[in-house]
Amino acid sequence: MSLRTSLALMTALLPAALAAQQRTTLDIYVIDVEGGNATLFVAPSGDSLLIDTGNGGPAAARDGGRIMAAVQDAKLARIDHLITTHYHGDHFGAMSEIAGRIPIAEFIDHGANVQANPTTDAFLNDVYPALYAKSKHTVVKPGDRVALRGVDVRIVASAGEPIRDAVPGAGQPNPLCATYQPKDPDPSENAQSVGSHFTFGRFRALHLGDLTWNKEFALACPRNLLGTVNVFVVTHHGQPISNSPVLVHALAPRVAIMNNGTRKGGQPDAMKVLFSSPGLEDLWQMHFSQLSGQEYTVPGAFIANVVDEQPASMPIEPAAAPAGGAVAQPPPVHNGPAFWIKVAARDDGSFTVTNARNGFSKSYAAR
Ligand SMILES: [Zn+2]
Ligand SMILES: [Zn+2]
């Protein structure tokens, strides 16, 4: 190799290498995909894990662009791992869009789809295999690890099954189990969600996708297999068919971040579970939810996004939510500039959360 070639090579590799050298925090970007999910984890080593890819169809370009903005903010040259929690369109929608813009080294999922749907089946038959054919495809089981150098990432749920053994330091009997009331069995893909638990030094975070109520019970009772966490990405966009208090209150998160839409998630029943969670210091939200109304929302400083035509005031009364998590009316449009909530976590357990819209930032000291 000539000196000129090696210099050119070094220059090309320098930005990524420098970014990796300068990183000291585990960064978590909760990205606005309008009531879908896309959450990016970047370890201090520079290794990256994206959980879900937002909405598809006409929304794929928008959500893909928002996810790529976070990828670029993190100075990533590739996505090392992509977990698709389950096969709902608000979780795998912009996958092709993203795969066309940046290499994805590993595609992770729970295995076979349990909820037949023409759009999903077409994606799984015709699109997805072609995407992972060029890299690696992994079907995970509870207890598996995801190789994110410097961060211990454990799969705690997949294909309807919970982990058998507690994560390190967890596994205490959970006194809340006596209060548990089951809901009807959930035959949908939500119950199949891949759940991921993160340990970075003394910092802990949890992301359970759209896992539903009875599956949460299996993780929380009779022993709490997940222990307590610093940051909880609120399950299922903050809908009350998930977020059982037997799990949420046992996790006792210091901070919860809700990936809700303007009319998806944030119903009063879910908000009450979060607000009454022992030790909760703050709840951060992607959007003001009309299903919360002002009655059950957080201060605007903790809300990352407005809508394209932001009203001068927000309703106080919660709007009635349709059953089963459906969206009755089209929500207010938000196709314009979008903002993430970013967590920068340190290995002593301290972390800082920032609202990218208004720059409001709060630090949570180690304890
Ligand atoms: Zn939005
Ligand atoms: Zn969802």
Side-chain angles (χ1 to χ4, degrees), residues 170 174-176 197 202-206 208 220 224-234 243-257 273-283 349 351 364 367:
N174 180 355
L176 300 169
H197 179 274
R202 298 187 59 199
F203 176 85
R204 281 165 183 59
L206 182 68
L208 295 179
N224 170 13
L225 301 177
L226 303 179
T228 59
V229 299
N230 303 71
V231 169
F232 172 51
V233 178
V234 176
N243 300 300
S244 165
V246 301
L247 177 61
V248 175
H249 291 189
L251 294 170
R254 294 182 69 182
V255 160
I257 305 176
V273 171
L274 293 166
F275 288 149
S276 61
S277 182
L280 186 83
E281 293 173 54
D282 292 301
L283 169 64
F351 58 103
Y364 301 84
R367 32 158 96 134

Side-chain angles (χ1 to χ4, degrees), residues 234-240 243 258-260 265-267 270-271 274:
V234 176
T235 305
H236 205 178
H237 323 289
Q239 299 193 68
N243 300 300
M258 194 164 87
N259 54 0
N260 65 297
Q267 285 95 321
M271 299 302 276
L274 293 166

Side-chain angles (χ1 to χ4, degrees), residues 134-158:
K134 289 174 273 178
S135 42
K136 187 179 171 192
H137 177 221
T138 305
V139 175
V140 281
K141 300 180 305 298
D144 286 354
R145 313 279 270 277
V146 178
L148 204 69
R149 284 172 303 162
V151 180
D152 185 318
V153 185
R154 288 183 196 226
I155 302 303
V156 296
S158 182

